[in-house]
PDB file of all heavy atoms in Angstrom:
ATOM      1  N   TYR N   1     -28.011  95.719  44.580  1.00 92.00           N
ATOM      2  CA  TYR N   1     -26.554  95.641  44.628  1.00 92.00           C
ATOM      3  C   TYR N   1     -25.962  95.442  43.242  1.00 92.00           C
ATOM      4  O   TYR N   1     -26.498  94.690  42.426  1.00 92.00           O
ATOM      5  CB  TYR N   1     -26.106  94.470  45.503  1.00 92.00           C
ATOM      6  CG  TYR N   1     -26.011  94.777  46.973  1.00 92.00           C
ATOM      7  CD1 TYR N   1     -27.103  95.258  47.676  1.00 92.00           C
ATOM      8  CD2 TYR N   1     -24.814  94.563  47.655  1.00 92.00           C
ATOM      9  CE1 TYR N   1     -27.005  95.537  49.027  1.00 92.00           C
ATOM     10  CE2 TYR N   1     -24.709  94.827  49.002  1.00 92.00           C
ATOM     11  CZ  TYR N   1     -25.810  95.312  49.690  1.00 92.00           C
ATOM     12  OH  TYR N   1     -25.713  95.569  51.033  1.00 92.00           O
ATOM     13  N   ALA N   2     -24.858  96.107  43.021  1.00 94.00           N
ATOM     14  CA  ALA N   2     -24.019  95.776  41.881  1.00 94.00           C
ATOM     15  C   ALA N   2     -23.167  94.583  42.278  1.00 94.00           C
ATOM     16  O   ALA N   2     -22.788  94.445  43.443  1.00 94.00           O
ATOM     17  CB  ALA N   2     -23.128  96.951  41.503  1.00 94.00           C
ATOM     18  N   MET N   3     -22.869  93.718  41.325  1.00 95.00           N
ATOM     19  CA  MET N   3     -22.086  92.530  41.636  1.00 95.00           C
ATOM     20  C   MET N   3     -20.995  92.323  40.604  1.00 95.00           C
ATOM     21  O   MET N   3     -21.127  92.749  39.451  1.00 95.00           O
ATOM     22  CB  MET N   3     -22.984  91.292  41.718  1.00 95.00           C
ATOM     23  CG  MET N   3     -24.061  91.411  42.777  1.00 95.00           C
ATOM     24  SD  MET N   3     -24.911  89.852  43.136  1.00 95.00           S
ATOM     25  CE  MET N   3     -23.615  88.972  44.025  1.00 95.00           C
ATOM     26  N   GLY N   4     -19.937  91.659  41.032  1.00 97.00           N
ATOM     27  CA  GLY N   4     -18.819  91.444  40.133  1.00 97.00           C
ATOM     28  C   GLY N   4     -18.130  90.120  40.362  1.00 97.00           C
ATOM     29  O   GLY N   4     -18.358  89.438  41.367  1.00 97.00           O
ATOM     30  N   TRP N   5     -17.308  89.767  39.405  1.00 98.00           N
ATOM     31  CA  TRP N   5     -16.452  88.593  39.495  1.00 98.00           C
ATOM     32  C   TRP N   5     -14.991  89.032  39.425  1.00 98.00           C
ATOM     33  O   TRP N   5     -14.626  89.850  38.576  1.00 98.00           O
ATOM     34  CB  TRP N   5     -16.721  87.606  38.353  1.00 98.00           C
ATOM     35  CG  TRP N   5     -18.017  86.863  38.460  1.00 98.00           C
ATOM     36  CD1 TRP N   5     -19.182  87.152  37.836  1.00 98.00           C
ATOM     37  CD2 TRP N   5     -18.253  85.682  39.232  1.00 98.00           C
ATOM     38  NE1 TRP N   5     -20.148  86.234  38.160  1.00 98.00           N
ATOM     39  CE2 TRP N   5     -19.605  85.313  39.021  1.00 98.00           C
ATOM     40  CE3 TRP N   5     -17.473  84.901  40.078  1.00 98.00           C
ATOM     41  CZ2 TRP N   5     -20.178  84.196  39.629  1.00 98.00           C
ATOM     42  CZ3 TRP N   5     -18.044  83.792  40.683  1.00 98.00           C
ATOM     43  CH2 TRP N   5     -19.380  83.454  40.453  1.00 98.00           C
ATOM     44  N   PHE N   6     -14.192  88.477  40.312  1.00 98.00           N
ATOM     45  CA  PHE N   6     -12.746  88.671  40.310  1.00 98.00           C
ATOM     46  C   PHE N   6     -12.087  87.303  40.296  1.00 98.00           C
ATOM     47  O   PHE N   6     -12.714  86.284  40.604  1.00 98.00           O
ATOM     48  CB  PHE N   6     -12.296  89.446  41.549  1.00 98.00           C
ATOM     49  CG  PHE N   6     -12.677  90.897  41.538  1.00 98.00           C
ATOM     50  CD1 PHE N   6     -13.981  91.292  41.790  1.00 98.00           C
ATOM     51  CD2 PHE N   6     -11.732  91.879  41.269  1.00 98.00           C
ATOM     52  CE1 PHE N   6     -14.339  92.629  41.778  1.00 98.00           C
ATOM     53  CE2 PHE N   6     -12.074  93.216  41.259  1.00 98.00           C
ATOM     54  CZ  PHE N   6     -13.380  93.590  41.508  1.00 98.00           C
ATOM     55  N   ARG N   7     -10.814  87.275  39.948  1.00 98.00           N
ATOM     56  CA  ARG N   7     -10.085  86.011  39.983  1.00 98.00           C
ATOM     57  C   ARG N   7      -8.651  86.245  40.443  1.00 98.00           C
ATOM     58  O   ARG N   7      -8.101  87.331  40.285  1.00 98.00           O
ATOM     59  CB  ARG N   7     -10.098  85.321  38.616  1.00 98.00           C
ATOM     60  CG  ARG N   7      -9.341  86.053  37.520  1.00 98.00           C
ATOM     61  CD  ARG N   7      -9.554  85.363  36.180  1.00 98.00           C
ATOM     62  NE  ARG N   7      -8.806  86.003  35.111  1.00 98.00           N
ATOM     63  CZ  ARG N   7      -8.894  85.670  33.825  1.00 98.00           C
ATOM     64  NH1 ARG N   7      -9.719  84.683  33.459  1.00 98.00           N
ATOM     65  NH2 ARG N   7      -8.177  86.304  32.917  1.00 98.00           N
ATOM     66  N   GLN N   8      -8.065  85.193  40.998  1.00 98.00           N
ATOM     67  CA  GLN N   8      -6.698  85.286  41.483  1.00 98.00           C
ATOM     68  C   GLN N   8      -5.965  83.975  41.235  1.00 98.00           C
ATOM     69  O   GLN N   8      -6.399  82.918  41.695  1.00 98.00           O
ATOM     70  CB  GLN N   8      -6.672  85.620  42.970  1.00 98.00           C
ATOM     71  CG  GLN N   8      -5.279  85.867  43.511  1.00 98.00           C
ATOM     72  CD  GLN N   8      -5.299  86.441  44.912  1.00 98.00           C
ATOM     73  OE1 GLN N   8      -6.261  86.252  45.660  1.00 98.00           O
ATOM     74  NE2 GLN N   8      -4.258  87.162  45.268  1.00 98.00           N
ATOM     75  N   ALA N   9      -4.874  84.060  40.511  1.00 97.00           N
ATOM     76  CA  ALA N   9      -4.012  82.919  40.264  1.00 97.00           C
ATOM     77  C   ALA N   9      -2.883  82.923  41.281  1.00 97.00           C
ATOM     78  O   ALA N   9      -2.533  83.982  41.820  1.00 97.00           O
ATOM     79  CB  ALA N   9      -3.447  82.973  38.845  1.00 97.00           C
ATOM     80  N   PRO N  10      -2.279  81.765  41.579  1.00 91.00           N
ATOM     81  CA  PRO N  10      -1.185  81.707  42.552  1.00 91.00           C
ATOM     82  C   PRO N  10      -0.057  82.667  42.198  1.00 91.00           C
ATOM     83  O   PRO N  10       0.387  82.709  41.051  1.00 91.00           O
ATOM     84  CB  PRO N  10      -0.723  80.251  42.465  1.00 91.00           C
ATOM     85  CG  PRO N  10      -1.937  79.500  42.033  1.00 91.00           C
ATOM     86  CD  PRO N  10      -2.620  80.425  41.062  1.00 91.00           C
ATOM     87  N   GLY N  11       0.372  83.442  43.175  1.00 93.00           N
ATOM     88  CA  GLY N  11       1.461  84.374  42.964  1.00 93.00           C
ATOM     89  C   GLY N  11       1.086  85.650  42.245  1.00 93.00           C
ATOM     90  O   GLY N  11       1.958  86.480  41.974  1.00 93.00           O
ATOM     91  N   LYS N  12      -0.184  85.826  41.937  1.00 96.00           N
ATOM     92  CA  LYS N  12      -0.635  87.013  41.234  1.00 96.00           C
ATOM     93  C   LYS N  12      -1.672  87.775  42.054  1.00 96.00           C
ATOM     94  O   LYS N  12      -2.284  87.228  42.964  1.00 96.00           O
ATOM     95  CB  LYS N  12      -1.223  86.646  39.872  1.00 96.00           C
ATOM     96  CG  LYS N  12      -0.230  86.016  38.909  1.00 96.00           C
ATOM     97  CD  LYS N  12      -0.865  85.767  37.555  1.00 96.00           C
ATOM     98  CE  LYS N  12       0.132  85.180  36.575  1.00 96.00           C
ATOM     99  NZ  LYS N  12      -0.492  84.940  35.246  1.00 96.00           N
ATOM    100  N   GLU N  13      -1.840  89.037  41.706  1.00 96.00           N
ATOM    101  CA  GLU N  13      -2.838  89.855  42.375  1.00 96.00           C
ATOM    102  C   GLU N  13      -4.237  89.511  41.883  1.00 96.00           C
ATOM    103  O   GLU N  13      -4.424  89.041  40.760  1.00 96.00           O
ATOM    104  CB  GLU N  13      -2.556  91.339  42.133  1.00 96.00           C
ATOM    105  CG  GLU N  13      -1.247  91.835  42.719  1.00 96.00           C
ATOM    106  CD  GLU N  13      -1.036  93.314  42.506  1.00 96.00           C
ATOM    107  OE1 GLU N  13      -1.835  93.926  41.774  1.00 96.00           O
ATOM    108  OE2 GLU N  13      -0.087  93.862  43.072  1.00 96.00           O
ATOM    109  N   ARG N  14      -5.202  89.745  42.736  1.00 97.00           N
ATOM    110  CA  ARG N  14      -6.583  89.549  42.335  1.00 97.00           C
ATOM    111  C   ARG N  14      -6.938  90.565  41.248  1.00 97.00           C
ATOM    112  O   ARG N  14      -6.610  91.751  41.359  1.00 97.00           O
ATOM    113  CB  ARG N  14      -7.499  89.712  43.542  1.00 97.00           C
ATOM    114  CG  ARG N  14      -8.925  89.280  43.292  1.00 97.00           C
ATOM    115  CD  ARG N  14      -9.738  89.309  44.583  1.00 97.00           C
ATOM    116  NE  ARG N  14      -9.167  88.451  45.597  1.00 97.00           N
ATOM    117  CZ  ARG N  14      -9.720  88.227  46.788  1.00 97.00           C
ATOM    118  NH1 ARG N  14     -10.870  88.806  47.097  1.00 97.00           N
ATOM    119  NH2 ARG N  14      -9.123  87.440  47.658  1.00 97.00           N
ATOM    120  N   GLU N  15      -7.614  90.106  40.203  1.00 98.00           N
ATOM    121  CA  GLU N  15      -7.933  90.984  39.097  1.00 98.00           C
ATOM    122  C   GLU N  15      -9.420  90.966  38.759  1.00 98.00           C
ATOM    123  O   GLU N  15     -10.114  89.970  38.949  1.00 98.00           O
ATOM    124  CB  GLU N  15      -7.118  90.615  37.850  1.00 98.00           C
ATOM    125  CG  GLU N  15      -7.443  89.245  37.278  1.00 98.00           C
ATOM    126  CD  GLU N  15      -6.691  88.944  35.993  1.00 98.00           C
ATOM    127  OE1 GLU N  15      -5.976  89.833  35.490  1.00 98.00           O
ATOM    128  OE2 GLU N  15      -6.816  87.812  35.483  1.00 98.00           O
ATOM    129  N   PHE N  16      -9.864  92.073  38.233  1.00 98.00           N
ATOM    130  CA  PHE N  16     -11.246  92.230  37.826  1.00 98.00           C
ATOM    131  C   PHE N  16     -11.553  91.374  36.607  1.00 98.00           C
ATOM    132  O   PHE N  16     -10.744  91.273  35.688  1.00 98.00           O
ATOM    133  CB  PHE N  16     -11.513  93.703  37.504  1.00 98.00           C
ATOM    134  CG  PHE N  16     -12.840  93.952  36.844  1.00 98.00           C
ATOM    135  CD1 PHE N  16     -14.008  93.977  37.582  1.00 98.00           C
ATOM    136  CD2 PHE N  16     -12.907  94.170  35.475  1.00 98.00           C
ATOM    137  CE1 PHE N  16     -15.231  94.209  36.979  1.00 98.00           C
ATOM    138  CE2 PHE N  16     -14.119  94.409  34.861  1.00 98.00           C
ATOM    139  CZ  PHE N  16     -15.282  94.423  35.612  1.00 98.00           C
ATOM    140  N   VAL N  17     -12.729  90.759  36.597  1.00 98.00           N
ATOM    141  CA  VAL N  17     -13.171  89.948  35.471  1.00 98.00           C
ATOM    142  C   VAL N  17     -14.402  90.552  34.804  1.00 98.00           C
ATOM    143  O   VAL N  17     -14.413  90.803  33.601  1.00 98.00           O
ATOM    144  CB  VAL N  17     -13.482  88.501  35.895  1.00 98.00           C
ATOM    145  CG1 VAL N  17     -14.025  87.700  34.715  1.00 98.00           C
ATOM    146  CG2 VAL N  17     -12.233  87.837  36.464  1.00 98.00           C
ATOM    147  N   ALA N  18     -15.453  90.773  35.586  1.00 98.00           N
ATOM    148  CA  ALA N  18     -16.704  91.288  35.033  1.00 98.00           C
ATOM    149  C   ALA N  18     -17.559  91.862  36.149  1.00 98.00           C
ATOM    150  O   ALA N  18     -17.393  91.521  37.319  1.00 98.00           O
ATOM    151  CB  ALA N  18     -17.469  90.186  34.297  1.00 98.00           C
ATOM    152  N   ALA N  19     -18.497  92.731  35.789  1.00 97.00           N
ATOM    153  CA  ALA N  19     -19.423  93.304  36.759  1.00 97.00           C
ATOM    154  C   ALA N  19     -20.758  93.589  36.092  1.00 97.00           C
ATOM    155  O   ALA N  19     -20.843  93.713  34.863  1.00 97.00           O
ATOM    156  CB  ALA N  19     -18.851  94.584  37.365  1.00 97.00           C
ATOM    157  N   ILE N  20     -21.790  93.703  36.919  1.00 96.00           N
ATOM    158  CA  ILE N  20     -23.131  93.963  36.420  1.00 96.00           C
ATOM    159  C   ILE N  20     -23.882  94.838  37.414  1.00 96.00           C
ATOM    160  O   ILE N  20     -23.778  94.656  38.624  1.00 96.00           O
ATOM    161  CB  ILE N  20     -23.882  92.631  36.152  1.00 96.00           C
ATOM    162  CG1 ILE N  20     -25.236  92.882  35.481  1.00 96.00           C
ATOM    163  CG2 ILE N  20     -24.048  91.834  37.445  1.00 96.00           C
ATOM    164  CD1 ILE N  20     -25.882  91.599  34.954  1.00 96.00           C
ATOM    165  N   ARG N  21     -24.633  95.804  36.886  1.00 93.00           N
ATOM    166  CA  ARG N  21     -25.444  96.666  37.735  1.00 93.00           C
ATOM    167  C   ARG N  21     -26.683  95.936  38.223  1.00 93.00           C
ATOM    168  O   ARG N  21     -27.050  94.878  37.710  1.00 93.00           O
ATOM    169  CB  ARG N  21     -25.853  97.927  36.965  1.00 93.00           C
ATOM    170  CG  ARG N  21     -24.696  98.803  36.508  1.00 93.00           C
ATOM    171  CD  ARG N  21     -24.090  99.527  37.677  1.00 93.00           C
ATOM    172  NE  ARG N  21     -23.071 100.478  37.238  1.00 93.00           N
ATOM    173  CZ  ARG N  21     -22.315 101.202  38.042  1.00 93.00           C
ATOM    174  NH1 ARG N  21     -22.456 101.097  39.356  1.00 93.00           N
ATOM    175  NH2 ARG N  21     -21.412 102.033  37.548  1.00 93.00           N
ATOM    176  N   TRP N  22     -27.344  96.513  39.213  1.00 89.00           N
ATOM    177  CA  TRP N  22     -28.548  95.915  39.771  1.00 89.00           C
ATOM    178  C   TRP N  22     -29.586  95.622  38.691  1.00 89.00           C
ATOM    179  O   TRP N  22     -30.193  94.541  38.680  1.00 89.00           O
ATOM    180  CB  TRP N  22     -29.143  96.828  40.841  1.00 89.00           C
ATOM    181  CG  TRP N  22     -30.617  96.623  41.086  1.00 89.00           C
ATOM    182  CD1 TRP N  22     -31.625  97.492  40.816  1.00 89.00           C
ATOM    183  CD2 TRP N  22     -31.241  95.466  41.654  1.00 89.00           C
ATOM    184  NE1 TRP N  22     -32.830  96.966  41.177  1.00 89.00           N
ATOM    185  CE2 TRP N  22     -32.632  95.707  41.698  1.00 89.00           C
ATOM    186  CE3 TRP N  22     -30.761  94.247  42.131  1.00 89.00           C
ATOM    187  CZ2 TRP N  22     -33.542  94.788  42.193  1.00 89.00           C
ATOM    188  CZ3 TRP N  22     -31.675  93.312  42.622  1.00 89.00           C
ATOM    189  CH2 TRP N  22     -33.039  93.597  42.652  1.00 89.00           C
ATOM    190  N   SER N  23     -29.807  96.563  37.812  1.00 84.00           N
ATOM    191  CA  SER N  23     -30.826  96.405  36.788  1.00 84.00           C
ATOM    192  C   SER N  23     -30.441  95.392  35.719  1.00 84.00           C
ATOM    193  O   SER N  23     -31.309  94.903  34.992  1.00 84.00           O
ATOM    194  CB  SER N  23     -31.112  97.751  36.123  1.00 84.00           C
ATOM    195  OG  SER N  23     -29.990  98.195  35.382  1.00 84.00           O
ATOM    196  N   GLY N  24     -29.161  95.097  35.605  1.00 85.00           N
ATOM    197  CA  GLY N  24     -28.690  94.208  34.565  1.00 85.00           C
ATOM    198  C   GLY N  24     -28.511  94.895  33.223  1.00 85.00           C
ATOM    199  O   GLY N  24     -28.076  94.264  32.254  1.00 85.00           O
ATOM    200  N   SER N  25     -28.830  96.175  33.167  1.00 84.00           N
ATOM    201  CA  SER N  25     -28.761  96.905  31.911  1.00 84.00           C
ATOM    202  C   SER N  25     -27.341  97.273  31.503  1.00 84.00           C
ATOM    203  O   SER N  25     -27.091  97.553  30.330  1.00 84.00           O
ATOM    204  CB  SER N  25     -29.614  98.170  31.996  1.00 84.00           C
ATOM    205  OG  SER N  25     -29.143  99.035  33.008  1.00 84.00           O
ATOM    206  N   SER N  26     -26.428  97.273  32.451  1.00 94.00           N
ATOM    207  CA  SER N  26     -25.043  97.619  32.171  1.00 94.00           C
ATOM    208  C   SER N  26     -24.121  96.517  32.660  1.00 94.00           C
ATOM    209  O   SER N  26     -24.216  96.089  33.808  1.00 94.00           O
ATOM    210  CB  SER N  26     -24.664  98.935  32.839  1.00 94.00           C
ATOM    211  OG  SER N  26     -25.437 100.008  32.330  1.00 94.00           O
ATOM    212  N   THR N  27     -23.245  96.072  31.774  1.00 96.00           N
ATOM    213  CA  THR N  27     -22.248  95.068  32.131  1.00 96.00           C
ATOM    214  C   THR N  27     -20.869  95.573  31.753  1.00 96.00           C
ATOM    215  O   THR N  27     -20.715  96.413  30.866  1.00 96.00           O
ATOM    216  CB  THR N  27     -22.520  93.730  31.434  1.00 96.00           C
ATOM    217  OG1 THR N  27     -22.575  93.933  30.012  1.00 96.00           O
ATOM    218  CG2 THR N  27     -23.847  93.138  31.895  1.00 96.00           C
TER     219      THR N  27
END
């Protein structure tokens, strides 16, 4: 699985933070 981090502040839309491929070779 590829995995990612998102974040959301009050009153704001959820936004992308970071992601990583299964192999870890690409971030």
Side-chain angles (χ1 to χ4, degrees):
Y1 274 57
M3 300 192 72
W5 288 98
F6 288 76
R7 66 186 182 186
Q8 186 169 25
K12 297 184 178 180
E13 296 182 352
R14 191 173 301 184
E15 65 176 355
F16 170 79
V17 176
I20 186 169
R21 298 287 186 184
W22 157 247
S23 67
S25 61
S26 297
T27 56

